[in-house]
Amino acid sequence: MGHAVVLRGDIDGRQIQLSLQPKKNEDGLEGRYFFFGGSPEILVAGEVEGDDLVMEESVNGRDVSGQWEGHRQGNVISGTWSSADGSITKPFSLQLP
């Protein structure tokens, strides 16, 4: 990914908007997302390798609060969101612009 993108989709049926952009001066992606209907923005950082997306998220900007593992097929990235300790998993789906 060479430029910023805004994706919309859902985590377990809850609608989200995710903004991603290349990291400055290093490999990988960074961005933020929020749930529609009111939620604080949650920071994300990760990388894309081929069609696979792996990201960690942080609610407070320091500690990992969740992980994303997804795969792109066509214009959709889908996969699993997991809590930091792995005890909760939820499906996610994102539509590429």
Side-chain angles (χ1 to χ4, degrees):
M1 174 185 308
H3 61 283
V5 295
V6 175
L7 306 99
R8 289 192 176 190
D10 71 273
I11 298 176
D12 199 26
R14 288 188 64 197
Q15 297 298 306
I16 64 167
Q17 180 170 301
L18 170 67
S19 301
L20 286 175
Q21 62 193 31
K23 284 185 178 179
K24 293 178 176 66
N25 304 322
E26 62 181 288
D27 291 339
L29 303 170
E30 62 185 2
R32 55 193 68 230
Y33 78 95
F34 65 88
F35 289 96
F36 285 98
S39 83
E41 288 190 328
I42 301 168
L43 302 175
V44 294
E47 56 190 42
V48 173
E49 189 170 314
D51 288 333
D52 294 324
L53 169 72
V54 177
M55 298 189 300
E56 291 182 335
E57 69 174 43
S58 177
V59 173
N60 64 13
R62 292 181 308 278
D63 304 315
V64 173
S65 56
Q67 179 153 332
W68 301 59
E69 292 184 19
H71 184 78
R72 181 176 68 88
Q73 288 186 297
N75 287 339
V76 176
I77 300 171
S78 58
T80 303
W81 174 93
S82 304
S83 60
D85 65 3
S87 65
I88 302 169
T89 61
K90 297 179 179 183
F92 76 84
S93 179
L94 300 166
Q95 182 70 40
L96 293 165

